[in-house]
Amino acid sequence: MSEFINNATKRKDKIKNALKRIHKGEAYEQVKQEFADVLSTATAQEISDIEQTLIGEGMPVEDIQYLCDVHVAMFRESLDQQPPPEMMPGHPVYTFRAENELLALVLNDTKQTLHKMQKEQSETLTQKLKGSLEKLKEFDVHYLRKENLLFPYLEKTNFSGPSSVMWGIHDDIRKGWKAMLAEIELGAAVSKESIEKLQREFTELENTMREMVYKEERILFPVAIERLTEENWLAIHAEEPDFGTSYVTRGTDWPTENKKKEPIDLSGKEKKEERKKTMSKFPLTTGDLSISQIDMLLTHLPVDITYVDENDTVLFFSETPDRIFKRTAAIIGRKVQNCHPPQSMDKVQHILDDFRAGTRDVAEFWIQMNGMFIHIRYFAMHDSDGNYKGALEVSQDLTPLRALEGEKRLLDD
């Protein structure tokens, strides 16, 4: 056994050395040829562990994201020998893979439309292209489930580096289809030059999305199946309806009937309800409330709140009926930095550092999204002795309030 472990460790060290050399600018083909033997036996788990180690050693996530396609190309021969995981319809991995299969059809349809437009410019084809891109944009649901359900559970198994890299690529993909749609809205696709530009942009977008499919099926999903327990998968399955699916209807073969009957309650709702019934009221600053009353109060607030403790760990979020930004039970216990895209981590960390240092008490932003004007504020929280105790995020849709005029008295209809 010790010999096996030593061989595996040596192999991982050699692979890591190869990636570092490429990172420093050595020719990819030369490095690949030199390490051909060890690369041909690399497993998905080893690739993920190595990328995680490189991030831990200080290599920026953005650099690994840039090199990600090179990494996969190096290991493709080994990865192609590993069959993709086959799961029952209804299992989260099965649903992810079914979406990937239909994504290929949407990409093909978009490519064919652009090919026709190179020969013929018409409003009909322009609208067809717009429809195809809108359909492509629907695949964002697939990425959102990865980011908000699959990644948090993988992070709890110390798998965070590769997921950060993937999230960064997701955002590049989002920028790609949004840019193309914006160009069409501004009147692009009416000349040969503009169509050629759209073609170049789509080719880059298509390649990135297809490579992401390969990385999911050959690396991410096999690692997830190996690391996550059935209880984890059941928890992910339970929260999938909050996000929906892309192009497919989720199967019903999994979980099986005997699993459905088992009391799987990772959010602890049943235990919480029992605890609410038995615990007495808590003396607060200006009154006494029971747990049930506190929970009801937080749920009925006209704003969304999320509480992060002094260790940057998410401890609570309010489940309001019309929550603006989706939250799942999977983020409880997650580092708040991992709840944001990689390119936002520095900004989040800067705010938290300022809160700790006492140089800032509030940070606020406002954005326009899906027809809503959203106001987002972060508040530093300190105890009576002035010790930093975390941050409170408050989000509110101000659209109805900004439209108010005149006045309305209490009992007016």
Side-chain angles (χ1 to χ4, degrees):
M1 176 62 74
S2 60
E3 182 180 356
F4 173 79
I5 294 173
N6 289 335
N7 289 339
T9 301
K10 289 178 182 178
R11 185 166 64 250
K12 288 167 69 172
D13 287 341
K14 288 182 179 179
I15 293 171
K16 185 173 71 170
N17 184 36
L19 293 180
K20 283 184 173 180
R21 286 171 56 177
I22 290 177
H23 178 67
K24 291 178 180 178
E26 288 194 38
Y28 156 69
E29 287 297 339
Q30 178 181 337
V31 176
K32 182 181 177 182
Q33 183 175 0
E34 186 176 338
F35 289 86
D37 290 342
V38 68
L39 293 176
S40 65
T41 60
T43 67
Q45 180 66 60
E46 286 175 333
I47 297 168
S48 302
D49 289 345
I50 291 164
E51 291 193 343
Q52 179 79 51
T53 301
L54 291 173
I55 291 174
E57 292 178 355
M59 187 179 290
V61 171
E62 293 79 7
D63 288 0
I64 293 180
Q65 179 181 323
Y66 176 76
L67 289 167
C68 195
D69 290 342
V70 177
H71 294 184
V72 171
M74 289 182 68
F75 303 123
R76 189 177 291 273
E77 181 178 344
S78 170
L79 295 173
D80 283 341
Q81 297 172 4
Q82 304 171 36
E86 295 291 342
M87 310 304 291
M88 297 174 67
H91 191 284
V93 171
Y94 187 98
T95 305
F96 277 130
R97 294 191 63 226
E99 290 173 326
N100 282 340
E101 289 184 13
L102 291 181
L103 170 64
L105 299 180
V106 179
L107 288 169
N108 290 342
D109 183 64
T110 309
K111 181 190 289 187
Q112 290 174 4
T113 301
L114 275 166
H115 183 69
K116 290 179 181 178
M117 292 177 71
Q118 289 179 321
K119 300 178 180 179
E120 171 194 350
Q121 290 84 49
S122 69
E123 180 63 23
T124 300
L125 285 175
T126 300
Q127 291 306 310
K128 180 174 172 56
L129 176 62
K130 181 180 178 183
S132 294
L133 289 170
E134 291 285 1
K135 189 73 174 176
L136 203 59
K137 191 178 174 183
E138 293 176 19
F139 201 71
D140 196 31
V141 173
H142 178 100
Y143 296 144
L144 287 170
R145 289 205 321 280
K146 280 173 63 181
E147 294 163 355
N148 292 279
L149 293 177
L150 186 57
F151 288 171
Y153 282 101
L154 285 171
E155 285 165 15
K156 292 173 183 177
T157 69
N158 296 319
F159 181 97
S160 58
S163 59
S164 298
V165 173
M166 283 191 171
W167 197 335
I169 298 173
H170 294 171
D171 284 345
D172 289 342
I173 291 170
R174 289 168 175 135
K175 290 175 185 175
W177 60 49
K178 286 179 182 177
M180 292 185 69
L181 282 168
E183 289 175 28
I184 293 175
E185 289 292 340
L186 291 174
V190 294
S191 67
K192 183 177 180 181
E193 291 76 15
S194 61
I195 292 171
E196 288 177 351
K197 183 174 183 291
L198 285 169
Q199 178 67 64
R200 289 194 299 272
E201 292 174 338
F202 175 73
T203 298
E204 181 178 352
L205 175 64
E206 179 188 21
N207 290 341
T208 304
M209 294 189 76
R210 290 189 188 276
E211 280 298 309
M212 177 56 71
V213 169
Y214 186 88
K215 292 162 191 169
E216 286 180 0
E217 306 226 354
R218 301 293 181 173
I219 301 176
L220 181 66
F221 298 155
V223 171
I225 289 169
E226 180 177 333
R227 286 175 172 253
L228 299 188
T229 65
E230 185 170 48
E231 189 177 55
N232 295 150
W233 290 118
L234 287 166
I236 292 171
H237 181 273
E239 296 196 82
E240 281 180 326
D242 290 341
F243 293 89
T245 56
S246 300
Y247 316 144
V248 302
T249 299
R250 189 171 66 168
T252 58
D253 292 355
W254 191 94
T256 55
E257 286 302 318
N258 64 316
K259 292 298 178 185
K260 291 178 183 177
K261 293 174 183 177
E262 291 182 8
I264 301 297
D265 182 28
L266 288 185
S267 62
K269 289 182 180 178
E270 292 180 3
K271 292 181 180 179
K272 288 177 184 177
E273 290 301 324
E274 287 301 316
R275 189 175 53 169
K276 289 176 192 176
K277 295 176 184 177
T278 58
M279 294 193 73
S280 60
K281 292 190 175 182
F282 289 87
L284 304 174
T285 305
T286 55
D288 300 339
L289 294 175
S290 67
I291 286 185
S292 179
Q293 290 169 328
I294 293 172
D295 189 63
M296 183 169 53
L297 183 153
L298 294 172
T299 302
H300 285 78
L301 286 175
V303 295
D304 297 348
I305 65 173
T306 302
Y307 172 53
V308 179
D309 73 4
E310 64 270 28
N311 299 313
D312 301 341
T313 301
V314 179
L315 294 189
F316 170 82
F317 65 89
S318 59
E319 290 189 289
T320 51
D322 301 311
R323 188 168 182 92
I324 301 168
F325 299 107
K326 290 185 182 295
R327 299 282 189 270
T328 70
I331 73 167
I332 301 301
R334 192 183 193 190
K335 291 295 182 182
V336 68
Q337 291 88 344
N338 293 336
C339 297
H340 295 81
Q343 62 266 36
S344 301
M345 283 186 183
D346 288 346
K347 297 176 184 177
V348 173
Q349 190 62 55
H350 184 63
I351 292 172
L352 294 173
D353 290 343
D354 284 353
F355 282 179
R356 279 195 179 82
T359 58
R360 187 202 304 235
D361 290 321
V362 181
E364 63 178 341
F365 315 88
W366 46 93
I367 61 174
Q368 299 190 46
M369 182 183 76
N370 299 328
M372 297 183 291
F373 186 92
I374 302 170
H375 191 213
I376 306 165
R377 286 173 290 176
Y378 297 89
F379 299 94
M381 301 177 66
H382 297 84
D383 63 17
S384 57
D385 294 324
N387 299 310
Y388 177 67
K389 289 298 179 181
L392 182 70
E393 179 194 65
V394 180
S395 303
Q396 184 176 13
D397 177 13
L398 295 184
T399 309
L401 298 180
R402 297 178 83 219
L404 294 178
E405 295 181 353
E407 63 179 29
K408 177 181 180 181
R409 297 191 180 273
L410 186 60
L411 296 178
D412 290 348
D413 293 332

